Amino acid sequence: MSRDRFSHPRGVAGGLAGRGQELRLIRSVLASAAVEGAALLIVGEPGVGKTMLLDVAEDEASAAGSLVLRSAGVEFEADLGFSGLNQTVLPLLGETDRLSAPHREALSVALGLGSGPAPDRLVVSAATLALLCRVAADRPVLIVIDDVHWLDRTSSAVLGFVARRLAGHRIGFLAASRPGTDSFFERSGLPELELQPLDDDAALGLVSERFPALDRGVRGRLLAESQGNPLALLELPAALSHPQRSALRALPEVLPLSRRLQSLYASRISELPEPTRQLLLLATLDGTGDLRVVQAAATSARGVPGDLAPAERVGLVQVGGSGAALTFRHPLTRSAVMELSTTDERRRAHLALAQVLAGQPERRAWHLGEATVEPDEEVAGLLEEAAHRLFGRGDPGGAVARLTRAADLSPLRSERSRRLAEAAYLSALTVGGVDGASELLTNALPEHSASLYAVATAAGYLLMDRGSDIDTAHGLLEAAIACHPERTDATDEELIEAIWSLSFLSWLSGSPEKWQPVHDAVARLRPRAPTVLALYEKTVPDPVRTALPVLDEIVAVCGDLGGEVDPVKIVRTGLSALYVDGLAVCRESAWRVLGDGRDGGAVTQAILAIVQLCHDDFGAGRWREMAELADEALELCDAHRFRYFRWQLQYFIALAAAVRGDQDASRAASDEIVGWATPRGAAGALAFAHHARALAAVARNDFEEAYQQAAAISAPGTFASHAPNALWVMLDLVEAAARTDRRAEATAHVTAMREARIGALSPRLALVTAGSAAVAADDDRAAELFEQALALPEAERWPFELARVRLAYGEHLRRSRAAAASRVQLSAAREAFERLGARPWAVRAAHELRATGHNRTPTPDFGMLTPQEREIAVLAASGLTNKEIGQRLYLSHRTVGAHLYRVFPKLGITSRAALRDALASVGSSSGPDAR
């Protein structure tokens, strides 16, 4: 059987993944061959799928009635004359009686079935063609030969003679060969199909289908290493352990190969001279392609540099024109070189490379670490220093790997535990995977108790994965920091990271008391707290009271992110700007972090970058992008078992559903937030659910519920201490209060907004403050205040809030009987809501417009209804009562009424008669699904 057989999976309807064009060509050849003869040589690298194309051709030709003669070149039979011909025509030996005597005798001797002098090759060729033509007179014949580069030369000559003389005969010839093998068929002039690797989409689809649970970052690495080779795409994941496939353990620098993949490269590598193989090993371990480094290391190890020419001749490597760059023709060659080397050979190669990389401390430290067997504190220290430099340059995965290796080489158990604890913290912070961090932390026990890194990681693990409450996790970390009052150095990275972790737990708690230890710890830092931490402490816990003095500094720091590579710093800077609406300035940097995460970088920070982008998208009205990003982040959470982040993403899903009028989806998403936050005592997370529920209530005109949800974050007339989300529900609270005859509460809240100078924090908050003041004002002042709100600079940046203010202004004007002026505001509001997809508000604006005498009504959007809602709507429009509908659908009449309660506002109608008219307007033949 050919070595790359079954390397490419069958696709839908007998096709092959990503091979539609190639299959069409082969089917065309088969069709021609069955009538007048045709030939095709398929050329491609090992594992690219040549054999599977031959398999498809064999199956389809057999199904069409052709006789298929299948054979394959065999490497160890390459010197055995006519062995390939024997394999090919063996099924036809019973037909040789139909040949002339000279042809029959020559073929019999060539195939070893008779005795006599060696026949002339031309006679054997003519005899073979004659035999095939005799058989093809009865039924079409297809010759299929795999690995023709391994056919013996005599068989190649005979079959090549046949392949060039098929015209007019019902004989097809399909063969597969590797490129650069100098075989007879590559010089035969036959038509060729050069089989390329799979494109990116096909490769992604193949590996995703076969390995659906593969971690996204691991999948990206495998796609890059395989370079579209189907066999590699299927075999590389199989060679990894389950923890490696799930990203619970880091992948090695060079990926391991399965036995099948080793077989593709082993023979070509093992036949090379020993100095050449040593050069290839050095190049593999170096990984930069710098031939000068490789040759210098070879000279250091052996005294002579060696020669790469043998590897070039067999197509394993390519040396650049300048002679300074070495490129492996396929990344899997590096893996095969590693598999064929011994542990001692790899150790000596690492040591040789470390000796010539004195000027590159990070690379030197890594090679020393791989060359060192016994514990060595000097090497461990070099690795730790390299880890810190790599982390600062935005390579968290490299930092974790070096810290872990440093721990392995630490002579003292305390140092080993300290380094493992830091690796666990950095892993949880950036690389992704609670399990990976937990395993590192477990290995650090029991000597890690003095490490703030370990305590911070343990606190996060207790909260995120074990369902512990905020008090327990916060208390654990607070006590650990308090045990070291003498640590006040602002450059103490372990202390700074512990304070960051404590601030996160405090934010999640929603409790002013939980924030006090953070404020105390930041105040103790000398000479001063790091800039981003200081800004975060001023703007996130209690922005109403402390953010205004540092606004200019936030703008400056966010504006300086353009060249920043540290994903943690980028994300933390964005978090500092969250409640003052500064995320738009950080947007480009957040996209960089996300792009890095998509490529296998800092997954944790990529999820947090998505959270920031979603916040910015909601304010800017990019709701479709917000929903798509939230879905992507949820996939990352599921892949990396980041249960914690799900609630933050459900918040955006709840918002998106609320603004488009999907009450069920919004409630389900907010329920998930509540389900996560309640048992943990995470009041800060519950505030997000309150916001989503308040907005959903406004969407369905349930202003009593909206008032209760918004007031749960902060009571009207006040801004609760350390309740930053109160800034997001101000308009909801004021509008709901005004709509429920709580005019005093609405006025009190506007007063509190003005006294706190909320409008000075951002243009959006200025718009909301001014709009809320107009909503709460007496009729004689309302118009003036609305005009002031609409005239504010940058109001257009916040389309949803602006449209809500216009809607409220239009409603006020209509009540004041200023119909013409009202229509201007209501029309602008309705158009904005329709562009955004804010269906409930668009319906509300349309209702108000009709009340002014404006006739245009939006076309009912039945696509917003669930299947059950659509069925109930049709039955209600037909005249059935709720009870009759319930009997038909096996529902209670109350359930039917509840569905209709949701259907009417979704469609912008208020009665069953209007429902009947709406159904008629979209066409009785199409039913309610017509759009």
Side-chain angles (χ1 to χ4, degrees):
M1 181 178 289
S2 172
R3 292 174 184 264
D4 65 349
R5 193 167 178 84
F6 305 128
S7 65
H8 200 315
R10 295 294 177 100
V12 178
L16 298 177
R19 295 302 189 200
Q21 183 175 351
E22 291 85 352
L23 285 171
R24 286 191 291 274
L25 174 60
I26 288 175
R27 286 166 179 148
S28 174
V29 171
L30 293 179
S32 297
V35 177
E36 57 185 5
L40 181 68
L41 178 64
I42 304 172
V43 180
E45 293 289 342
V48 79
K50 304 182 297 295
T51 300
M52 285 302 294
L53 286 176
L54 296 183
D55 289 344
V56 172
E58 178 182 359
D59 291 346
E60 296 193 3
S62 295
S66 295
L67 172 64
V68 180
L69 304 174
R70 181 73 180 258
S71 61
V74 182
E75 189 173 5
F76 61 81
E77 292 183 356
D79 295 326
L80 187 60
F82 291 116
S83 61
L85 180 63
N86 187 309
Q87 184 186 166
T88 303
V89 301
L90 186 62
L92 304 182
L93 293 182
E95 304 290 334
T96 55
D97 291 343
R98 300 167 63 180
L99 297 177
S100 65
H103 281 173
R104 184 170 60 249
E105 181 178 347
L107 195 57
S108 176
V109 173
L111 297 180
L113 302 176
S115 59
D120 181 81
R121 192 168 64 190
L122 184 59
V123 177
V124 175
S125 301
T128 302
L129 179 60
L131 176 61
L132 291 168
C133 289
R134 296 281 193 281
V135 175
D138 300 327
R139 60 187 293 199
V141 175
L142 177 66
I143 301 170
V144 179
I145 306 178
D146 206 351
D147 292 330
V148 294
H149 49 278
W150 280 332
L151 281 181
D152 61 278
R153 295 185 63 84
T154 51
S155 295
S156 294
V158 171
L159 293 171
F161 174 91
V162 171
R164 293 193 300 273
R165 291 165 173 80
L166 301 179
H169 305 289
R170 297 195 301 169
I171 304 172
F173 182 90
L174 282 178
S177 177
R178 295 181 184 176
T181 53
D182 195 32
S183 72
F184 172 84
F185 284 95
E186 289 194 348
R187 304 189 306 273
S188 65
L190 294 178
E192 288 189 10
L193 165 62
E194 186 175 355
L195 194 59
Q196 299 293 336
L198 296 177
D199 61 30
D200 293 343
D201 290 340
L204 176 61
L206 173 57
V207 76
S208 299
E209 179 184 350
R210 289 300 183 92
F211 300 93
L214 198 65
D215 170 78
R216 182 188 292 260
V218 174
R219 185 176 63 200
R221 171 80 183 278
L222 295 177
L223 289 171
E225 291 281 340
S226 64
Q227 291 189 348
N229 186 290
L231 180 62
L233 287 166
L234 299 178
E235 292 288 327
L236 283 176
L240 299 177
S241 66
H242 175 71
Q244 288 173 326
R245 288 197 296 269
S246 304
L248 303 182
R249 290 185 183 173
L251 296 180
E253 293 286 320
V254 181
L255 294 178
L257 297 183
S258 66
R259 290 184 178 180
R260 294 183 66 202
L261 287 175
Q262 286 183 42
S263 70
L264 296 179
Y265 296 93
S267 61
R268 286 190 285 176
I269 294 172
S270 60
E271 292 172 359
L272 295 173
E274 193 272 338
T276 302
R277 286 190 284 112
Q278 288 300 313
L279 272 176
L280 291 181
L281 179 60
L282 286 165
T284 294
L285 296 177
D286 174 64
T288 66
D290 190 338
L291 188 56
R292 294 167 298 186
V293 171
V294 172
Q295 290 176 330
T299 302
S300 172
R302 300 174 52 82
V304 292
D307 185 7
L308 282 171
E312 284 189 275
R313 282 194 292 270
V314 296
L316 293 174
V317 297
Q318 185 175 6
V319 177
S322 64
L326 181 152
T327 305
F328 285 93
R329 297 292 292 272
H330 198 284
L332 295 183
T333 306
R334 297 177 64 230
S335 298
V337 170
M338 285 284 285
E339 297 285 347
L340 293 171
S341 65
T342 66
T343 301
D344 193 52
E345 286 173 338
R346 293 194 293 272
R347 187 185 62 80
R348 289 198 303 267
H350 276 297
L351 186 61
L353 287 166
Q355 290 171 349
V356 300
L357 291 171
Q360 301 181 49
E362 287 141 31
R363 292 175 62 197
R364 176 173 178 267
W366 176 253
H367 288 299
L368 282 175
E370 294 301 295
T372 305
V373 178
E374 299 295 328
D376 187 317
E377 179 57 31
E378 181 180 358
V379 176
L382 291 173
L383 283 166
E384 184 175 1
E385 292 174 7
H388 292 156
R389 283 192 294 268
L390 287 172
F391 189 81
R393 290 209 305 270
D395 183 8
V400 170
R402 280 152 183 78
L403 275 172
T404 305
R405 182 59 180 157
D408 292 340
L409 295 175
S410 300
L412 299 178
R413 293 182 66 182
S414 59
E415 287 297 286
R416 175 183 181 274
S417 295
R418 180 183 63 80
R419 286 161 175 155
L420 280 176
E422 183 175 359
Y425 180 81
L426 295 184
S427 177
L429 183 68
T430 57
V431 178
V434 171
D435 292 325
S438 175
E439 182 177 342
L440 288 168
L441 190 62
T442 300
N443 291 334
L445 293 170
E447 294 86 3
H448 76 294
S449 57
S451 168
L452 290 177
Y453 280 130
V455 178
T457 307
Y461 181 67
L462 285 172
L463 179 68
M464 296 180 195
D465 202 67
R466 292 305 180 204
S468 178
D469 59 85
I470 292 288
D471 288 344
T472 300
H474 189 280
L476 179 69
L477 188 51
E478 179 188 351
I481 295 174
C483 284
H484 302 281
E486 76 285 354
R487 296 178 70 168
T488 61
D489 186 355
T491 64
D492 184 341
E493 292 185 3
E494 186 177 18
L495 174 62
I496 298 303
E497 290 303 317
I499 296 173
W500 272 111
S501 296
L502 188 63
S503 69
F504 154 71
L505 293 172
S506 301
W507 170 77
L508 199 56
S509 74
S511 166
E513 291 74 20
K514 292 288 193 298
W515 274 106
Q516 192 56 49
V518 177
H519 299 318
D520 294 342
V522 172
R524 287 197 302 268
L525 294 173
R526 296 291 182 271
R528 66 181 62 86
T531 300
V532 178
L533 177 59
L535 290 176
Y536 181 90
E537 189 226 359
K538 296 296 183 186
T539 61
V540 170
D542 199 7
V544 172
R545 294 170 179 82
T546 59
L548 193 55
V550 296
L551 277 183
D552 290 342
E553 194 172 357
I554 290 176
V555 173
V557 171
C558 290
D560 289 340
L561 286 177
E564 183 59 58
V565 297
D566 181 355
V568 176
K569 183 175 181 180
I570 291 172
V571 167
R572 286 174 175 173
T573 301
L575 289 175
S576 301
L578 173 61
Y579 289 106
V580 293
D581 299 317
L583 288 176
V585 183
C586 310
R587 188 172 180 82
E588 181 181 347
S589 301
W591 274 110
R592 289 206 313 274
V593 175
L594 175 53
D596 177 61
R598 286 169 170 170
D599 293 335
V603 178
T604 313
Q605 301 307 311
I607 296 173
L608 288 172
I610 287 179
V611 169
Q612 294 181 20
L613 289 168
C614 286
H615 276 295
D616 188 52
D617 282 343
F618 183 71
R622 293 183 292 265
W623 295 345
R624 177 173 295 180
E625 178 181 278
M626 178 184 73
E628 291 173 351
L629 285 173
D631 286 341
E632 177 182 350
L634 282 171
E635 290 180 7
L636 287 173
C637 289
D638 292 340
H640 293 272
R641 297 188 62 222
F642 274 142
R643 300 179 183 89
Y644 162 74
F645 290 111
R646 285 191 60 89
W647 76 261
Q648 294 195 57
L649 300 163
Q650 290 296 337
Y651 167 66
F652 300 111
I653 291 174
L655 290 182
V659 293
R660 68 173 181 262
D662 189 342
Q663 293 287 327
D664 290 342
S666 185
R667 171 61 69 167
S670 65
D671 283 349
E672 183 166 337
I673 299 173
V674 173
W676 186 90
T678 300
R680 291 169 170 82
L686 286 174
F688 287 80
H690 288 311
H691 177 202
R693 289 179 172 181
L695 192 62
V698 173
R700 64 177 183 270
N701 296 326
D702 186 350
F703 290 102
E704 179 61 35
E705 173 69 8
Y707 179 84
Q708 297 299 333
Q709 293 293 339
I713 298 175
S714 182
T718 65
F719 282 93
S721 175
H722 295 73
N725 292 47
L727 293 173
W728 294 344
V729 294
M730 295 186 301
L731 183 55
D732 301 321
L733 182 57
V734 171
E735 183 181 13
R739 292 272 188 156
T740 56
D741 295 325
R742 294 180 173 96
R743 185 67 59 177
E745 287 84 348
T747 302
H749 207 61
V750 170
T751 300
M753 293 159 68
R754 286 173 169 168
E755 290 177 350
R757 299 181 62 196
I758 299 295
L761 292 177
S762 79
R764 183 187 70 84
L765 293 173
L767 172 64
V768 171
T769 299
S772 297
V775 169
D778 295 333
D779 287 347
D780 58 346
R781 293 199 59 227
E784 177 188 355
L785 293 175
F786 276 121
E787 290 291 346
Q788 290 176 6
L790 298 179
L792 287 170
E794 300 186 68
E796 297 289 342
R797 285 179 53 197
W798 317 100
F800 185 49
E801 279 90 350
L802 179 60
R804 289 183 66 180
V805 172
R806 288 191 183 278
L807 174 59
Y809 188 17
E811 290 170 333
H812 164 75
L813 290 171
R814 186 189 65 77
R815 290 194 305 270
S816 302
R817 301 187 182 281
S822 174
R823 281 195 288 270
V824 172
Q825 299 300 331
L826 293 173
S827 294
R830 184 196 61 200
E831 291 171 5
F833 290 135
E834 288 178 346
R835 284 196 303 271
L836 291 167
R839 178 70 181 179
W841 283 267
V843 169
R844 182 171 146 191
H847 286 168
E848 291 290 331
L849 274 170
R850 284 197 297 273
T852 68
H854 189 73
N855 293 324
R856 179 188 182 276
T857 57
T859 302
D861 185 0
F862 285 92
M864 297 179 63
L865 304 184
T866 66
Q868 189 170 62
E869 287 173 346
R870 287 197 295 271
E871 189 172 14
I872 290 172
V874 170
L875 294 174
S878 70
L880 295 182
T881 65
N882 289 1
K883 184 177 181 180
E884 290 169 334
I885 296 172
Q887 289 172 345
R888 286 201 181 192
L889 301 181
Y890 301 99
L891 300 171
S892 74
H893 69 277
R894 293 186 182 88
T895 301
V896 173
H899 279 296
L900 289 173
Y901 177 77
R902 290 190 293 268
V903 165
F904 286 176
K906 285 185 179 182
L907 300 180
I909 58 179
T910 58
S911 67
R912 292 179 182 241
L915 179 59
R916 184 170 56 252
D917 295 340
L919 283 169
S921 71
V922 296
S924 58
S925 62
S926 300
D929 289 328
R931 298 293 297 273

